[in-house]
Amino acid sequence: MQLSIKGRRRITLRATANHERSIISDLEFRKPAVKIAHWTIFGLLLLGTVLTIGPLLWMVSGALKPSIQIFNTPPVLWPSSPEWINFVKAWQQLNSLRYLANTAALATGAVALQLLVSATAAYALSKLKPIFSNVLLFFFLSTLMVPAIAYLIPQYFTVIHLPIFGISLIGSWWAIWLPEAANAFNIIILKSFFDTLPNELIEAARIDGANAWQIFTRIVLPNSLPALAVVSMFTIFATWKDFLWPLLVLNDPNSLPISPALYQQAIAQNSYQPQNVLLAGFVIATVPPLVLFLIFQRQIMRGVVTTGLKG
Amino acid sequence: MVTLDQPALSQAEPRTTSRVQPLLRFARRNTAGILFLLPALGIFGFFVWYPVVYGFILSFQKNAFYGVPTFAGWSNYRFVLHDPLFWTAWRNSASYALYGLLIGYLIPIVLAIAINEIRHGTGYFRLAFYLPVIIPPLVTAFLWRYMYTHDGGLINSLLSVVHAAPQPWLQSPSTALPSLVIVTTWANMGGTVLIYMAALQGIPAQLYEAAELDGANIWRRIWNITLPQMRGIMLILLLIQIIATVQVFTEPFTLTGGGPDLSTMTVILLIYNYAFNSGNFGAASALSVILFLVLVVLSLIYFGITRRLNLGGAE
Amino acid sequence: MTSRSFGNPMLSRRTLMRNAAIAGAGFVGANILAACGPASSSNGLITFTTNELPASSNPAQVKIYQDYVQTFQQNHKGVTINALNDPYTTQGYFTKAAAHSQEDMVDAPFTDPQLMIARGTVADITTYAKQQSFFSSYTPSALAIASSGGSVYGLPYAGYQLGLMFNIKLIKAAGLDPASPPKTWDDFRAYAKQIAQKTGVPGFVELTNQNTGGWHLTNWIYTGGGNLESGSGSSTQAVFNNPVAVAWLQNLQAMKFTDKSLYNEVLVGYNDALQIFGTNKAAMVVEASDTLPALQTAYQADMTNIGLWPMPQSPTNPGNATLSGGHVYVFKAGDSSDVLNAAVEWASYYRFDLSVIENSTVQAAASGLPVGFPTATIFTGSYQQSLQAISQKYANLPLDNYALYANSGLALRPEPPVQTQAMYAALDPVVQGVLTSAKADPQTLLNTAQTNFQATLSSGS
């Protein structure tokens, strides 16, 4: 995580090429051999992006095919008469709206709770520094060493019977929000950002009579919007990808987010969804995060770089 | 670093006459901080620290779900260690990690270097290679299942167009695991590419200039400057990748369910099967603890490396 | 963590509650409350949940179902049925049951009630069941599905028997006669080979994944007179590593690698098989007649093109049997008597009331759903005769195509009772194994599976 702090200071994504040289210098670049190599690599990269974008387009084209063309040899790249009806079917029969709304609501709650939990902790550890804060920081960070999957079972038990409170969270979205809010990466991201806020700013507010809460809400948070945005984005994508945990803790299929809901529709022995309708459902599930990503791509990709978090 | 709001605790207070005053001071200095930490302490306490400890307890209990739990001694561990699937699962998880490195480790490095040298379309390439990362893993899994279909799937159809033999992909024990690794690599390499690109841009230009003046050609510069400069980050991502692959669940669960013939039965799937197929939560917990210890050792190595690199870094 | 970090739980809870407002709790609203609230019977109002809502891929069926719920609720003031489309899986059910969050009334397969009874997740409904008029008509074997120690824990409502489903056009194209079924494994193998050679379409697709491999292997073992489990309770032994299983698996292996008459993929799940067969990618598949509606609604299969034969039997040691299973309603342990009574009443109304059955059959036929396919009988006497009469009166399927299957005279063998789904899961790799390699040794695979599953049996979980 220290790495990330260092990274954020040092690394800026190159917006326009050539303001700093890389392996090949500008002078070298004028040589014909280098030019040929450059365009060869360029072509190979283009071919490479066919491998990443191609499958997504294949999914869309499959969703538009009549059942009979879905497994055709040679492959039908684009159906002659696209069956847009498959999207209508997917929207209605797969209850897409409900599951998209569930996912959006889950993501909203997750963002709110994670920001609250991580930002307060990061503020305390960065600026208030109460007694034992170094020890606590270590305890938070040490959870990064513990892969979540290794305590899946006891975590499930905990959700069934929450100690002290003695209640069960099963079936409630809190069963997703609360465990997900224990995210040390967020604390690191925010703490390292708060560390860069000048102490003089906070001291001045204190002299003006502001208490810790006011400083937090009026000075620290408004000045940290980029970091808060990165945390929010990662939270939204993580919620959208969540699969196993919602399947375990949400007993009502109507409250599931889209991934496990689609899984049930694809696998359940009584759902019998034809392949093209399922594909249309997958396209529908992919569009919201895709749009969000295209809008916020700069911030997200910068976030990936600064945190070392791989999405 | 010492700041205005944080005088050292041991500092003498010459004007203090009362014994209560230091307490008050202590309270004033710490109350807000502790209050601000409470939400995180609560959440981490309930949902991480407690479960981690509880997992150890569960692994020594029998029948914790459907009846009154009883102390089971080492019997859950004995059960797990004697299960023939135990070694199958570990072998598969290890192969998963190994294939992951073979297929997925070098590609991002090469891609990052290439994109970084390209003078056109850098933004497009960065975007296009990152795109799969944001696709929900469930969609990724089913999309690949669709493309892997033996008769009429995209990949075999394309192979038949060029008169190549169709491949069994997920349908054969010898190819199922690599086929899964291709899926995971496709889905995850975008983030790694971005991190490498950032590291590449952090390499000082003077190093290349000096090397060029010394007459080093492009390959030598990559070999002698780029790769050594990236050694640290490459090592860290190596470990992150191993730890991440061992944890992969969605792809094998939805694509193969551990088959064909147990060739993709990973440790995670085995834990899931113990718990939710056989209802043997004791065995599931015992295997979780074993996995936990293995991954913690790997994580410790990771943090050790991070720390060492950091000490040698710019700070 | 010491008590220090939990020093003020009230505060952190308040913080969370306040946060609920930010979290858009309004959005969650009634949905979540309905989901996590236990079945309630205060104020004379009774609400219970059930997992049986038909899949939305079949809107006609959903409509019919909801109309009956409406009518029932009108006739039973104060009762609300919260029906969910939450198809049963063993893992899903027991995961929820561990948290006491399974639905109040669950539509489950015959394989699982005994495990549920052992784990204490289902309610004793003896008193409510015995009040129902149909109850006395159960066959002893149907009643045994969900009974233990003289108590009744469930209501079986539909049975199926496995048979050999075939594509009539492909069979004819291969020069075979739909009226003469393959009687033995050898005949069956020859049929599949002939189909593959004459039509180029795989003769047969076998299920292998998501426990279906074990399910179908059990059926084949029955056709050779073999057993899978012996003993009972905690002394149950897995005995499926027997010569019958080996002989069948060798047959299957030969079909795949010598005859090349099997579908190419090894990982075939339940829905996969229906899609493959329904879209004419394989000529034969082992299925029950109750899959016909799905074949029609989801894969637009032509009902006149599908026939059913009885299961071929072992040539050397015919078991003269076929696997039979079905659907059973079970109810949640710990529910109040009001809720249990209401749920049993609903089951009795929707699945066993002859006039309702007749009405829904008419409606199903009117909305173009297949009606009249033969099922395995779970009742006797006049009640059974009435059921049969309704089914035949409104049948819109070519019943002649299933005559040999329906009147086969084969013994209907129930599935093995102990940890059935876990056993199926252990057997999946065996079937997958013989289909992935010509060199795989069935005996070795079966022995490994036996060791694995015996460990599960012995762990007593």
Side-chain angles (χ1 to χ4, degrees):
Chain A
M1 73 285 351
Q2 296 287 26
L3 186 89
S4 62
I5 299 167
K6 198 168 72 191
R8 198 165 52 76
R9 290 208 198 104
R10 214 169 65 185
I11 296 161
T12 45
L13 283 179
R14 198 169 51 175
T16 51
N18 302 347
H19 76 267
E20 194 169 356
R21 68 156 292 169
S22 49
I23 301 170
I24 304 170
S25 67
D26 288 347
L27 193 66
E28 258 175 325
F29 193 71
R30 298 203 188 107
K31 291 185 197 163
V34 174
K35 266 214 146 82
I36 291 167
H38 170 264
W39 288 109
T40 312
I41 292 172
F42 185 87
L44 287 174
L45 282 176
L46 263 186
L47 212 63
T49 63
V50 170
L51 293 179
T52 62
I53 297 177
L56 299 176
L57 295 176
W58 185 244
M59 173 165 72
V60 179
S61 110
L64 292 170
K65 285 176 192 169
S67 287
I68 213 133
Q69 283 185 357
I70 278 227
F71 293 109
N72 219 43
T73 311
V76 178
L77 288 184
W78 195 259
S80 48
S81 51
E83 286 192 347
W84 295 99
I85 185 79
N86 292 334
F87 280 92
V88 179
K89 281 186 190 163
W91 187 258
Q92 289 168 349
Q93 294 179 6
L94 301 174
N95 281 329
S96 299
L97 181 62
R98 171 185 286 272
Y99 297 124
L100 287 178
N102 284 350
T103 321
L106 270 169
T108 313
V111 166
L113 190 62
Q114 294 204 27
L115 286 186
L116 179 99
V117 171
S118 314
T120 48
Y123 172 55
L125 295 172
S126 171
K127 296 298 177 200
L128 299 175
K129 293 187 176 151
I131 186 166
F132 298 139
S133 55
N134 281 336
V135 179
L136 287 176
L137 179 63
F138 171 77
F139 266 100
F140 286 128
L141 295 195
S142 63
T143 65
L144 289 177
M145 293 201 298
V146 189
I149 202 95
Y151 55 90
L152 177 84
I153 306 284
Q155 202 175 39
Y156 181 62
F157 273 59
T158 309
V159 165
I160 289 176
H161 184 90
L162 196 63
I164 299 173
F165 296 100
I167 54 169
S168 164
L169 297 174
I170 293 292
S172 149
W173 283 351
W174 290 109
I176 298 196
W177 285 329
L178 294 174
E180 206 181 87
N183 187 331
F185 256 119
N186 290 344
I187 297 184
I188 294 167
I189 297 171
L190 294 176
K191 179 182 177 295
S192 60
F193 195 93
F194 294 166
D195 283 344
T196 64
L197 296 178
N199 281 323
E200 296 76 36
L201 202 66
I202 287 160
E203 208 44 45
R206 180 168 304 158
I207 290 165
D208 285 348
N211 63 27
W213 176 255
Q214 288 163 329
I215 291 172
F216 178 58
T217 54
R218 291 184 196 162
I219 310 264
V220 174
L221 291 185
N223 281 301
S224 308
L225 292 181
L228 296 175
V230 166
V231 169
S232 306
M233 281 300 149
F234 284 139
T235 307
I236 292 172
F237 286 123
T239 313
W240 217 276
K241 290 175 153 194
D242 216 0
F243 173 70
L244 175 60
W245 187 249
L247 210 55
L248 291 180
V249 299
L250 296 180
N251 58 343
D252 179 353
N254 289 334
S255 67
L256 286 175
I258 192 129
S259 279
L262 276 175
Y263 172 74
Q264 285 209 333
Q265 307 267 3
I267 291 299
Q269 299 211 340
N270 80 348
S271 72
Y272 313 114
Q273 297 293 351
Q275 188 88 36
N276 43 9
V277 175
L278 269 182
L279 284 168
F282 293 140
V283 174
I284 291 173
T286 307
V287 165
L290 193 67
V291 168
L292 209 61
F293 169 69
L294 291 178
I295 296 173
F296 294 102
Q297 44 161 311
R298 295 182 71 82
Q299 290 85 338
I300 291 164
M301 290 200 281
R302 197 178 302 135
V304 173
V305 171
T306 57
T307 59
L309 195 70
K310 305 210 293 171
Chain B
M1 76 185 160
V2 178
T3 52
L4 282 175
D5 55 326
Q6 201 190 25
L9 280 174
S10 56
Q11 200 174 315
E13 301 287 344
R15 276 173 296 171
T16 315
T17 47
S18 157
R19 294 178 125 227
V20 184
Q21 210 156 359
L23 261 174
L24 277 174
R25 258 180 164 284
F26 176 82
R28 203 164 49 226
R29 200 177 300 131
N30 290 298
T31 313
I34 289 169
L35 286 178
F36 268 92
L37 278 169
L38 273 180
L41 288 174
I43 294 279
F44 277 77
F46 276 109
F47 297 105
V48 182
W49 298 324
Y50 169 73
V52 165
V53 177
Y54 191 32
F56 280 87
I57 298 172
L58 278 175
S59 71
F60 291 100
Q61 284 183 350
K62 196 165 179 59
N63 205 15
F65 244 144
Y66 299 105
V68 183
T70 50
F71 182 68
W74 291 97
S75 70
N76 289 326
Y77 287 91
R78 267 200 302 275
F79 174 85
V80 168
L81 289 169
H82 284 114
D83 187 342
L85 290 180
F86 179 81
W87 296 110
T88 310
W90 277 104
R91 208 171 39 240
N92 287 338
S93 284
S95 317
Y96 208 128
L98 197 71
Y99 278 124
L101 295 180
L102 282 177
I103 297 173
Y105 184 65
L106 280 181
I107 294 175
I109 300 174
V110 174
L111 277 178
I113 294 178
I115 297 175
N116 206 44
E117 292 307 317
I118 289 294
R119 306 291 164 106
H120 303 276
T122 312
Y124 164 75
F125 287 125
R126 216 167 44 206
L127 182 81
F129 284 110
Y130 189 74
L131 214 52
V133 177
I134 57 142
I135 310 297
L138 181 91
V139 173
T140 302
F142 274 87
L143 173 57
W144 278 87
R145 194 170 94 139
Y146 171 51
M147 295 196 298
Y148 275 144
T149 306
H150 191 280
D151 294 324
L154 175 66
I155 302 177
N156 279 351
S157 296
L158 288 177
L159 285 178
S160 82
V161 169
V162 295
H163 301 289
Q167 296 300 312
W169 303 113
L170 296 168
Q171 308 293 331
S172 147
S174 54
T175 53
L177 206 56
S179 304
L180 280 181
V181 170
I182 290 175
V183 180
T184 359
T185 306
W186 182 83
N188 295 312
M189 71 175 185
T192 322
V193 170
L194 289 189
I195 293 169
Y196 281 130
M197 283 184 68
L200 284 171
Q201 283 158 27
I203 299 175
Q206 304 94 290
L207 290 179
Y208 290 124
E209 258 144 38
E212 206 177 344
L213 287 178
D214 286 350
N217 66 22
I218 293 171
W219 294 116
R220 292 223 72 84
R221 270 173 259 157
I222 293 179
W223 191 252
N224 291 336
I225 296 171
T226 315
L227 292 180
Q229 285 286 316
M230 297 224 296
R231 206 185 53 203
I233 191 85
M234 280 164 62
L235 200 54
I236 289 168
L237 289 182
L238 179 86
L239 274 159
I240 288 187
Q241 191 186 328
I242 294 173
I243 295 169
T245 353
V246 174
Q247 298 194 62
V248 171
F249 176 82
T250 312
E251 286 91 341
F253 178 74
T254 51
L255 282 175
T256 61
D261 194 13
L262 301 173
S263 60
T264 57
M265 176 61 71
T266 62
V267 176
I268 300 294
L269 274 186
L270 189 57
I271 292 176
Y272 178 88
N273 279 352
Y274 281 153
F276 300 112
N277 237 342
S278 320
N280 192 344
F281 288 91
S285 300
L287 184 53
S288 296
V289 167
I290 296 170
L291 173 69
F292 172 85
L293 294 176
V294 169
L295 289 181
V296 163
V297 168
L298 286 175
S299 297
L300 283 174
I301 297 173
Y302 160 62
F303 274 83
I305 292 171
T306 325
R307 174 156 296 209
R308 232 188 45 211
L309 288 173
N310 205 43
L311 288 178
E315 298 284 300
Chain C
M1 282 330 296
T2 61
S3 60
R4 185 186 168 81
S5 40
F6 298 128
N8 197 341
M10 283 315 294
L11 182 92
S12 60
R13 187 157 64 167
R14 216 165 43 226
T15 325
L16 293 179
M17 297 318 283
R18 192 178 323 138
N19 196 39
I22 313 167
F27 217 109
V28 187
N31 176 9
I32 283 304
L33 289 174
C36 61
S40 55
S41 56
S42 53
N43 315 327
L45 294 176
I46 297 168
T47 300
F48 66 87
T49 52
T50 162
N51 72 332
E52 67 178 341
L53 182 70
S56 49
S57 60
N58 195 341
Q61 201 78 65
V62 174
K63 171 89 172 59
I64 293 173
Y65 180 84
Q66 279 166 346
D67 287 346
Y68 282 107
V69 168
Q70 287 268 312
T71 314
F72 181 82
Q73 289 178 163
Q74 274 157 21
N75 297 335
H76 295 74
K77 289 285 177 227
V79 176
T80 309
I81 300 173
N82 184 8
L84 308 166
N85 172 28
D86 187 17
Y88 183 90
T89 63
T90 303
Q91 299 99 307
Y93 175 83
F94 285 106
T95 305
K96 289 175 190 171
H100 300 291
S101 69
Q102 73 269 42
E103 286 92 355
D104 299 301
M105 171 179 163
V106 169
D107 182 347
F110 282 4
T111 48
D112 288 8
Q114 293 302 328
L115 189 57
M116 295 169 175
I117 294 168
R119 288 180 181 170
T121 62
V122 285
D124 181 341
I125 53 156
T126 315
T127 49
Y128 318 105
K130 284 192 169 158
Q131 291 163 11
Q132 307 301 328
S133 58
F134 64 84
F135 186 77
S136 54
S137 306
Y138 272 126
T139 62
S141 60
L143 195 57
I145 297 290
S147 298
S148 175
S151 296
V152 178
Y153 294 87
L155 300 173
Y157 73 85
Y160 70 81
Q161 68 187 84
L162 289 176
L164 191 58
M165 195 176 269
F166 58 95
N167 183 316
I168 295 175
K169 275 184 201 144
L170 287 169
I171 292 284
K172 285 183 175 163
L176 293 163
D177 179 7
S180 58
K183 295 213 164 49
T184 64
W185 295 351
D186 295 345
D187 296 344
F188 167 65
R189 182 179 162 184
Y191 273 43
K193 189 177 178 184
Q194 190 167 335
I195 295 164
Q197 284 175 348
K198 292 263 173 75
T199 66
V201 176
F204 179 61
V205 56
E206 179 63 299
L207 282 68
T208 63
N209 213 0
Q210 298 149 1
N211 299 3
T212 60
W215 177 47
H216 276 194
L217 179 58
T218 302
N219 177 43
W220 287 110
I221 292 175
Y222 285 175
T223 65
N227 292 312
L228 289 97
E229 289 177 350
S230 72
S232 64
S234 56
S235 62
T236 305
Q237 290 291 313
V239 295
F240 49 67
N241 47 341
N242 54 42
V244 179
V246 173
W248 163 252
L249 290 167
Q250 282 167 342
N251 199 53
L252 190 66
Q253 204 170 19
M255 289 172 75
K256 166 98 180 190
F257 295 103
T258 312
D259 301 352
K260 304 198 188 322
S261 62
L262 288 198
Y263 186 73
N264 241 328
E265 303 217 323
V266 176
L267 297 175
V268 179
Y270 188 84
N271 291 355
D272 301 329
L274 285 180
Q275 176 146 358
I276 290 160
F277 178 79
T279 53
N280 310 327
K281 300 259 178 199
M284 296 188 286
V285 64
V286 171
E287 288 289 358
S289 57
D290 62 357
T291 52
L292 289 169
L295 284 166
Q296 188 197 42
T297 54
Y299 307 114
Q300 289 83 47
D302 175 6
M303 287 293 112
T304 61
N305 188 35
I306 296 178
L308 265 164
W309 285 323
M311 284 303 300
Q313 304 290 311
S314 156
T316 52
N317 185 31
N320 294 320
T322 186
L323 183 146
S324 169
H327 292 269
V328 54
Y329 284 128
V330 288
F331 305 84
K332 183 179 174 182
D335 273 354
S336 72
S337 59
D338 287 347
V339 168
L340 291 175
N341 192 33
V344 170
E345 283 290 334
W346 158 251
S348 168
Y349 167 77
Y350 178 60
R351 292 285 186 192
F352 302 100
D353 184 303
L354 287 172
S355 64
V356 171
I357 292 172
E358 179 155 10
N359 271 333
S360 56
T361 309
V362 172
Q363 285 169 309
S367 31
L369 295 170
V371 164
F373 50 82
T375 55
T377 55
I378 54 173
F379 291 108
T380 55
S382 61
Y383 184 73
Q384 174 61 23
Q385 284 165 5
S386 311
L387 287 176
Q388 218 146 12
I390 294 170
S391 168
Q392 275 163 5
K393 186 172 171 192
Y394 300 102
N396 57 7
L397 287 167
L399 297 185
D400 289 348
N401 290 357
Y402 327 128
L404 293 165
Y405 159 84
N407 309 312
S408 66
L410 294 176
L412 301 186
R413 281 188 68 179
E415 293 164 273
V418 184
Q419 288 266 20
T420 320
Q421 295 293 341
M423 183 182 77
Y424 289 169
L427 286 171
D428 273 359
V430 177
V431 182
Q432 292 169 9
V434 298
L435 293 180
T436 48
S437 162
K439 293 192 205 85
D441 176 32
Q443 186 69 58
T444 313
L445 290 168
L446 284 165
N447 289 345
T448 310
Q450 198 275 345
T451 314
N452 289 345
F453 177 57
Q454 193 62 50
T456 302
L457 283 175
S458 309
S459 76
S461 46

